[in-house]
Amino acid sequence: MPFIPHTEDDVKTMLHAIGVNSIEDLFDEIPQDLRINNLNPIAPGLTEMAMGRDMKARAERDAGLACFVGAGAYEHHIPAAVWQITGRGEFLTAYTPYQAEASQGTLQLLYEYQSMMANLMGLEVSNASLYDGASALAEAVLMAVRANTHAKEPRILIAGNLHPHYRQTIEALVRPQGIILETLPYNDTTGCLETSRPKIDNGDIAAVVIAQPNFFGGIEEVDGITDWAHQHLALVIAVVNPIAMALLKEPGAWGERGADIVCGEGQPLGIPLASGGPYFGFLCTKMEYVRQMPGRLIGRTVDQNGNPGFSLTLQAREQHIRRAKATSNICTNQGLAVTAATIYMSLLGASGLADVAKASHDHSSTLCKALTALPGMRLRFNSPCFHEFVIECPCTAKALIHTVLKDNILAGLDLSLMSPELDRCLLICVTETKTAQDINAYVQAIKRALQHLTSSLTVED
Amino acid sequence: MPFIPHTEDDVKTMLHAIGVNSIEDLFDEIPQDLRINNLNPIAPGLTEMAMGRDMKARAERDAGLACFVGAGAYEHHIPAAVWQITGRGEFLTAYTPYQAEASQGTLQLLYEYQSMMANLMGLEVSNASLYDGASALAEAVLMAVRANTHAKEPRILIAGNLHPHYRQTIEALVRPQGIILETLPYNDTTGCLETSRPKIDNGDIAAVVIAQPNFFGGIEEVDGITDWAHQHLALVIAVVNPIAMALLKEPGAWGERGADIVCGEGQPLGIPLASGGPYFGFLCTKMEYVRQMPGRLIGRTVDQNGNPGFSLTLQAREQHIRRAKATSNICTNQGLAVTAATIYMSLLGASGLADVAKASHDHSSTLCKALTALPGMRLRFNSPCFHEFVIECPCTAKALIHTVLKDNILAGLDLSLMSPELDRCLLICVTETKTAQDINAYVQAIKRALQHLTSSLTVED
Amino acid sequence: MLIFEISAKGRKNHLQAPRLAPEAKDIPAHLLRRTPPIFPEVSELQVVRHYTQLSRKNFSIDTQFYPLGSCTMKYNPRGVHQLASLEGFLQHHPLTPISHSQGYLQSAYELQEILSHITGLSAVSLTPMAGAQGEFAGVAMIRAYHLSRGDTARTEFLVPDAAHGTNPATAVMCGFRIKEIPTDKHGDVDLNALRAAVGPHTAGIMLTNPSTLGVFERHISEIAKTIHDVGGLLYYDGANLNAILGKCRPGDMGFDVMHINLHKTFATPHGGGGPGSGPVAANERLKPFLPIPTVGYDGDHYYWLTEKDCPQSIGRLSAFMGNAGIILRANIYARLLGHEGLCRVSEYATLNANYLMARLQQAGFTLAFADRRASHEFIITFKKEAKTMGISAKDIAKRLLDYGVHAPTTYFPLLVPECFLIEPTETESKEELDNFINILMTILKEAKESPELVKQAPHTLPVRRLDDLKAARELDLTWHKSKKPEEA
Amino acid sequence: MLIFEISAKGRKNHLQAPRLAPEAKDIPAHLLRRTPPIFPEVSELQVVRHYTQLSRKNFSIDTQFYPLGSCTMKYNPRGVHQLASLEGFLQHHPLTPISHSQGYLQSAYELQEILSHITGLSAVSLTPMAGAQGEFAGVAMIRAYHLSRGDTARTEFLVPDAAHGTNPATAVMCGFRIKEIPTDKHGDVDLNALRAAVGPHTAGIMLTNPSTLGVFERHISEIAKTIHDVGGLLYYDGANLNAILGKCRPGDMGFDVMHINLHKTFATPHGGGGPGSGPVAANERLKPFLPIPTVGYDGDHYYWLTEKDCPQSIGRLSAFMGNAGIILRANIYARLLGHEGLCRVSEYATLNANYLMARLQQAGFTLAFADRRASHEFIITFKKEAKTMGISAKDIAKRLLDYGVHAPTTYFPLLVPECFLIEPTETESKEELDNFINILMTILKEAKESPELVKQAPHTLPVRRLDDLKAARELDLTWHKSKKPEEA
Ligand SMILES: Cc1ncc(COP(=O)(O)O)c(C=O)c1O
Ligand SMILES: Cc1ncc(COP(=O)(O)O)c(C=O)c1O
């Protein structure tokens, strides 16, 4: 029996020890009218070999595109060591480290992760992960509402150039608690937040959410916004790309006092694209807010011999201790992805991470220049960008994407996802994984596509 | 520096401790006229990312054929657990277990391997591996010459239907020691060894080499040959496919007294095809010949507390102790492949292994029947076969193979490799990995190819 | 030794970083980072050795029996892991057009169907990223349902006292007040208390069945009727689904919505604390409120259903579609087992639990609910031992570690004092269970004969018992350069 | 516990075996197996847990410093392993037509070229499966060369007394008699003895340089001349190539043929005893005799060269083309490093060895060749300690294990009593070397203060010191059902 080790003799002996005649007898407390006897609508099982054939065919069906989409999930080179070590049974098949003495491997690793991540963000504390970037932001919003004792109302100002899926996720996750979400508009020319900010009184706003870079890849003038928020007693929540933080100013250094909560998507740190997950959300903050943090925290302590060791700490914030009064309902988080990210950061080091950021930036600048040299293609926003930028096309983005798909190139994201009036805009990402040849192939494919699309009447356009 | 951890400071400190000024100084004992200063003809290094692109392209270039070739290397389903466990650093990056106390993992595994392999062959002892099937056979021949004290001359009778590469390998490896190799002919109708055997006197022959199944997939009448050899005081060396041994009579049970030495290619037991290696050779024998065995042996013993443990034993047979008088020069063997095979055998169990053998046999019978139903295609030999058979085609095998390659089918092996007069013969293998659809696709492709090749004048034919 | 403590300035793995990394001259200087983060500077070998060594300090299913109640620590098939890790899947961007996503979409769709059959509910969304997020989705759907009918008075959620901590925490996140319902002495919900608690404010109830007490809630139909009668809805916490696969279905019991922990019932690895996946299944009534995206199928192609298709959806719970790789794994696991294999799961999980329970009772251990069948798990209590010998459940748990067995869940559920919640799962052999029984008996003997051995346990692990109080009082959550190496 | 001892009759992993397995009715009954082999009957989880646990009883590079002299235990890059394990490579049948083998053939061809540059020899065959088979190939080539010239009198091979055991064993396999050449007190070959030994019977000499004594043979040119002058040829044992990459080349030293251990110099994993790969390189004179197959290139396609193309070849050494997967790994490793990286290998391997040697000497350890530079390895001897304290090299080796460090090679080469041959390799950090020095110093202190601690070592490993005599006397080489479980 697949994955079940019992022999017929075992079953007999065990039933005898229990004192029943059949396995069926063990279900006798289930009321008869609720019983079913099979799951026949589900297909019969397959052998591992047959499944292998089937899944390989599926994987191939989805493979083969040169990916120039980012939009929250980024293709980076993942050193082989990362997952070969992460995949070791002792990491892969352990539970949450409740028995600290039997989980020092995971616990120490998480402590090292917390140290690196906090450092990367320029803040004092990091938790041990949340689900993903979008849900981490929702948790950050809830945390800010709890932490900001000056706010009169649970009102949050959210950058208008935030990833639309992040915005939707916050809506879904925080609305039930009566939190009010408002938008901080962005400038249509720069793509960055307006420099003229809304008039607010102290305590009107619990927190301001800023994305760096923003959804368009644009780099925000974060110092000014941070100081403005702090002046009005609002907390600053930064949503950042962790690779970008090797190059751009870290949130802890924004403005006079630094961002208060930093969160984002950890995927760029060694996690494969994998259709969208598992990734992990990170969340860092200042020590003063640590008791409002959601998620697990690992602390260094000593054992009864005085030797150093690690364990889950401040569990009184968590659901399994505090139940209805917990800082979040999160229980299982994204431990294994964090394991990979920790190994990734260790392998790359600070300078390697900066190299990844710089090379990505350089490659995207190269493509951007080449594209804007094509007739009818222009840069939609004029702010400096990090490894992602928006091109306005002479046709719909959708038509262009579908045309170059035939060349096995995924040209970018159709920004009508963000708003209907951006339907000619293509959000394009280039990381260190793309070679000069890849970039050239992209430009040539777009050139051919533009000729085709602009010379003929196309259905989509 | 790739894979070198030294910082500039480290180098300074270390040179100082040594008392030299530069690393270059450490090479001062090499005579100046022998020095070179670079390896510039070799290309500059690549990053792991760039190498990944390059090697993936190469791997893809070689991929995508449905493989119906066996001929000494067989495609079987390899359970995922096999290499995920085998690939653990502690197995992968350990050396030969010279320090037994620090290598109990590998040692116990090898002891378990020896137990399973000896049992599979029906013999008492197995070594811990040799390089591959062909070189294992050469070692078996040398061992037989040492072990057979009755033989007047080091003369070996070798089945004429042995894999031609095995025959070549023996020639290369044993000829320098003056061993005489002669051929035991096979019958042109059955493909199996002639039932009328050469007249020999006792002691004329040191050993007889029998392949089961033979190179054509045919199943030999092993009992008669074994008894005949033993009657003439020759040892019997069996070269067998280990998967076949789950179905066919094990060599230890051949004839009255069983084969004396059994060897062969371990690859079918969980090792990927991988362009031909690494595989591993196995070699089993009766206890009376154990001191003539080549290769490593692991024994179970006790430690100083009386607890069981494992260590290399009978090392006095080996080159590192016995030097010029060793039973072989082998040192590094194929440990990791044996690790995989041990896990494979444990996962499959005896009944699973028999299922693999039976399914392979069944699938190959199916294809054989379908092919011989096609006009002009006939079975070349009429003996029962195990998972491999020879079809005589109405055209050259070469032409047929190249035609169906266009359908991404590798149809079989062109037997002109074996001898020029078999140039219309195709050696075809089908294992459990091929589905009914695969077999049907094969038949259809051959049908089309035959129509094409026999209707038109082809260059090759 | 921390990875930071084997760091040396200037060490770098050049092959892992891109070669050409020109400075970003077009970004204004004031937006650039000034001081690099303090990361370890270590060689690839150092990284591999450090984390390989660390991994060896963990207990895991691959190395130990791990009967952690409520967690379903069963074998995570290696074949599943391998196939979900195929390059084609790993390199697939979540925003790829559906024309180039059919392989993944088909797998997701199939899993939706499988979960629907298993739960007896009509529609499934796979997007929640763990059980707790599934709970959020379900309770938020109940909230949305009431609001959609203008029914704004329903501000209370009922939760049995035996419930997992995520249940009350979730209901609060969804804006509800909690009413706790007590358990009767047989481990069932106290029906009188329940009847007394319901009313026009009742939005719904969260329930696990079998409950976290390891017993099947026999009055489930009555409970359902009680709640439905006052206009409330029922949420099923699917953490214990492993116990009933193919035996009964939450939909038939009267539940309106539920989550499934793929990382429990569907054998996806726990990864030292995740990732998991908590798909949510709903009946026709709640289906319109399912979180997006879900996957549709027109007989020809698979496609995404999003806000446009599902205007009443509670919305999006993550940037993309949840833990896609876990969804893939659950699909492969379920299709490997097939319908017969899935039914066997609950049978043998239940057999193992009842066998362990019977044998432990015979050996003198105290069952929390001796008159009940075990489901896939059961509870023993060391209340007696705590009183007579001063040995706590925690002591015994730590001593188990010394014997190379992971401890069961301790101190949960909270209402049984000094408890072990023991879940052996179906993938453990009788030999392993017998070994566990013998170890427990040995420890009990030790507790009598040399109690300090047990109270001071563990003795053989990388660390002795840890000072959790110090950890919380003198928070040390990140490494700083200034800390001395000896401290680590 | 042996895997057989957790076996239970009738247990089976149904998903791993094919579903449809009809009996083979067309095979005569007397050719069929009657009783199945005794294999363990264990579940997939049991297999995974058993072998995962076993693996944890090994020392390995990934977990420990492993300064095993002559073995070059350097870091085996994970990227290399990953790329050599791509499906396209793994599923490629060795007899695939070259049209569908260009990826592999190109990689093999490139490696031939790289090895040719590194060795200073003109042609390479990759087929030998380990160093010893490379030795066989090379010596057999020398034999074939002499015979091809009708020179049948050359029946003797010279081998220094410091040589690795495979050298004399190989020469004997090739049908030669051995003449052992002594070493002088500086570790060089005794030139006078050499001159006295050569003559018309001399077929050739096998030499390692740097030798297994860890020193560079300074008179190599003279040795070469001496051998060549009498018509003999020189074989280079390439086990120590890591020491001289980019510094000097065997071809320039006068060697005619040699092997390269890819599993040493080219960082392919040792796998607990293999697989390795021992390509053989030859100068123009011996090139025609190289074993087949090799890979050719016509500027457009890569193709096999076999017996038809190389009529003088010594022939085939394996069924296909040797350890193809290891060849692939070596190609990837070499191309990752590139020419600069390859030169750095010998530099830092030598730096590490000389640093260790200098520091150990300062710490009071006795060097075997104190007046010499270390190559990539060096020898210390515990002759003094053995005499004064009764502590052997073996004792110290076993005690090192207790400190989590693998022991250096002991008792080889045979001519230095109580020796350690220490090879740190270039991939170990200074910190790791310093740690090793400290441990050795601690052990020396222990040897003085509590000698039993050292003599009884190891204390912390899965087993105590093993009884090798019993193992050899009461041979127990396979498990039998009759053996009692307690015995295991
Ligand atoms: C009964 C019960 N409910 C809910 C959960 C929460 O599930 P998750 O950890 O996947 O969020 C758990 C997990 O331990 C559980 O046991
Ligand atoms: C000096 C020397 N020569 C030859 C060999 C034999 O090489 P292999 O083990 O690859 O057969 C070794 C291996 O240890 C060696 O150290």
Side-chain angles (χ1 to χ4, degrees), chain B residues 11-165:
Chain B
V11 175
K12 269 187 220 139
T13 317
M14 294 169 82
L15 290 173
H16 187 255
I18 301 167
V20 293
N21 292 319
S22 71
I23 291 180
E24 199 51 26
D25 289 353
L26 299 173
F27 295 93
D28 57 5
E29 289 194 0
I30 302 179
Q32 267 309 318
D33 60 327
L34 294 180
R35 282 298 313 274
I36 58 170
N37 292 312
N38 62 63
L39 291 171
N40 286 352
I42 298 170
L46 292 177
T47 62
E48 190 183 293
M49 178 175 76
M51 184 62 76
R53 288 286 288 264
D54 190 50
M55 293 312 289
K56 277 174 196 168
R58 292 186 193 191
E60 260 169 46
R61 218 174 301 151
D62 292 1
L65 296 182
C67 177
F68 289 81
V69 174
Y74 300 95
E75 181 187 276
H76 289 288
H77 172 65
I78 304 176
V82 172
W83 285 93
Q84 285 185 35
I85 305 303
T86 302
R88 283 174 59 84
E90 295 95 324
F91 283 136
L92 190 68
T93 73
Y95 201 74
T96 299
Y98 289 133
Q99 291 291 346
E101 298 84 358
S103 312
Q104 286 296 298
T106 288
L107 286 163
Q108 181 177 333
L109 180 142
L110 290 174
Y111 177 87
E112 293 176 356
Y113 162 79
Q114 290 175 178
S115 304
M116 291 184 220
M117 190 52 93
N119 222 301
L120 183 58
M121 298 304 153
L123 283 167
E124 291 157 300
V125 200
S126 165
N127 74 4
S129 83
L130 296 167
Y131 300 130
D132 81 332
S135 60
L137 178 54
E139 292 279 13
V141 165
L142 295 173
M143 175 182 164
V145 169
R146 287 191 301 271
N148 190 338
T149 49
H150 303 292
K152 288 172 278 183
E153 269 191 318
R155 189 184 302 273
I156 308 288
L157 265 186
I158 301 178
N161 54 14
L162 178 71
H163 194 307
H165 288 177

Side-chain angles (χ1 to χ4, degrees), chain D residues 364-421:
Chain D
F365 290 86
T366 312
L367 302 181
F369 300 99
D371 60 336
R372 300 294 304 267
R373 276 290 173 241
S375 62
H376 65 315
E377 60 189 358
F378 64 97
I379 299 177
I380 59 179
T381 166
F382 294 102
K383 198 176 147 190
K384 194 180 67 192
E385 288 79 3
K387 221 186 239 163
T388 58
M389 304 188 272
I391 296 280
S392 67
K394 179 171 179 174
D395 296 331
I396 297 174
K398 298 298 181 197
R399 186 63 184 149
L400 271 171
L401 305 180
D402 278 333
Y403 284 99
V405 164
H406 197 280
T409 297
T410 50
Y411 303 102
F412 175 80
L414 303 168
L415 48 160
V416 183
E418 298 296 334
C419 75
F420 268 16
L421 177 59

Side-chain angles (χ1 to χ4, degrees), chain A residues 6 29 36 58 62 92 94 99 101-102 106 111-112 115 120 165 221 274-275 301 304 323 333 355 361, chain C residues 12 26 30 33 51 58-59 90 92 103-104 110 163 247 271-273 319 352 372-373 398 456 467 476 479:
Chain A
H6 300 64
E29 290 194 358
I36 57 170
R58 292 187 192 189
D62 292 0
L92 189 68
Q99 291 291 345
E101 298 83 358
T106 288
Y111 176 86
E112 292 175 356
S115 303
L120 183 59
H165 289 176
E221 290 284 349
S275 300
T301 179
Q304 68 190 57
R323 302 179 69 85
N333 57 29
D355 290 341
H361 181 69
Chain C
K12 182 167 174 179
D26 54 335
H30 69 281
R33 184 165 194 137
Y51 289 110
N58 273 0
F59 278 32
L90 294 187
H92 183 251
Y104 178 72
E110 284 169 355
K247 300 296 154 197
N352 273 0
R372 299 294 304 268
R373 279 286 176 240
K398 298 298 181 197
Q456 303 292 324
D467 187 343
D476 174 356
W479 176 84

Side-chain angles (χ1 to χ4, degrees), chain D residues 335-348:
Chain D
R335 293 196 302 130
L336 278 174
L337 289 193
H339 61 88
E340 289 159 317
L342 288 166
C343 290
R344 270 195 298 258
V345 163
S346 61
E347 292 172 2
Y348 287 83

Side-chain angles (χ1 to χ4, degrees), chain A residues 95 98 131 296 329-333, chain C residues 69-71 129-133 135 163-164 166-167 208 212 237-240 259 261 263-264 276-278 412:
Chain A
Y95 201 75
Y98 289 133
Y131 299 131
R296 313 228 182 256
N329 72 340
I330 194 168
C331 177
T332 293
N333 57 29
Chain C
S70 207
C71 298
M129 308 234 225
Q133 212 189 30
E135 293 176 28
H164 192 262
T166 50
N167 293 183
T208 326
T212 60
D237 175 343
N240 293 341
H259 80 265
N261 300 64
H263 46 302
K264 298 182 179 183
S277 178
F412 175 80

Side-chain angles (χ1 to χ4, degrees), chain B residues 182-444:
Chain B
E182 292 179 359
T183 302
L184 195 60
Y186 71 86
N187 181 287
D188 193 55
T189 307
T190 64
C192 289
L193 293 173
E194 291 285 6
T195 44
S196 68
R197 304 201 178 88
K199 266 211 106 51
I200 52 170
D201 286 339
N202 289 357
D204 273 358
I205 298 295
V208 178
V209 172
I210 313 168
Q212 178 77 319
N214 62 41
F215 183 55
F216 306 125
I219 303 176
E220 298 283 350
E221 290 284 349
V222 286
D223 296 328
I225 316 169
T226 301
D227 288 341
W228 169 76
H230 282 154
Q231 279 149 22
H232 295 88
L233 307 183
L235 297 185
V236 171
I237 300 174
V239 190
V240 303
N241 176 325
I243 298 272
M245 292 308 106
L247 182 61
L248 304 183
K249 188 187 275 184
E250 67 276 25
W254 291 1
E256 295 285 316
R257 282 164 35 210
D260 303 283
I261 306 175
V262 186
C263 62
E265 178 51 67
Q267 176 273 332
L269 300 169
I271 319 298
L273 290 172
S275 299
Y279 298 168
F280 72 94
F282 59 85
L283 191 145
C284 300
T285 192
K286 299 172 176 170
M287 191 51 100
E288 60 184 299
Y289 303 125
V290 68
R291 284 186 166 72
Q292 296 305 337
M293 269 194 136
R296 312 225 183 259
L297 278 171
I298 282 74
R300 182 153 64 160
T301 181
V302 295
D303 72 5
Q304 68 190 56
N305 290 349
N307 291 319
F310 303 86
S311 68
L312 291 170
T313 195
L314 295 190
Q315 296 189 63
R317 298 164 303 109
E318 292 189 66
Q319 47 71 30
H320 64 286
I321 304 291
R322 192 66 145 264
R323 302 178 69 83
K325 299 214 177 67
T327 55
S328 164
N329 71 339
I330 194 168
C331 178
T332 293
N333 58 29
Q334 307 282 116
L336 198 73
V338 168
T339 306
T342 307
I343 298 175
Y344 178 85
M345 289 190 280
S346 301
L347 275 174
L348 272 284
S351 83
L353 208 66
D355 289 342
V356 170
K358 285 186 239 162
S360 299
H361 181 69
D362 180 56
H363 294 183
S364 79
S365 305
T366 305
L367 179 57
C368 184
K369 270 189 213 114
L371 284 180
T372 48
L374 297 182
M377 301 285 271
R378 70 176 200 94
L379 200 56
R380 177 65 179 75
F381 303 114
N382 67 6
S383 68
C385 283
F386 174 72
H387 93 2
E388 212 163 0
F389 56 89
V390 178
I391 292 285
E392 191 173 86
C393 315
C395 53
T396 63
K398 192 177 166 189
L400 198 59
I401 290 168
H402 280 273
T403 308
V404 301
L405 262 183
K406 293 178 196 104
D407 297 304
N408 288 327
I409 291 173
L410 182 49
L413 186 73
D414 171 5
L415 276 190
S416 65
L417 172 86
M418 180 82 174
S419 89
E421 63 268 28
L422 293 177
D423 68 337
R424 286 171 172 264
C425 290
L426 198 57
L427 177 64
I428 302 170
C429 176
V430 195
T431 65
E432 88 281 11
T433 61
K434 295 292 176 285
T435 63
Q437 293 92 299
D438 296 333
I439 291 172
N440 188 46
Y442 182 102
V443 175
Q444 297 312 319

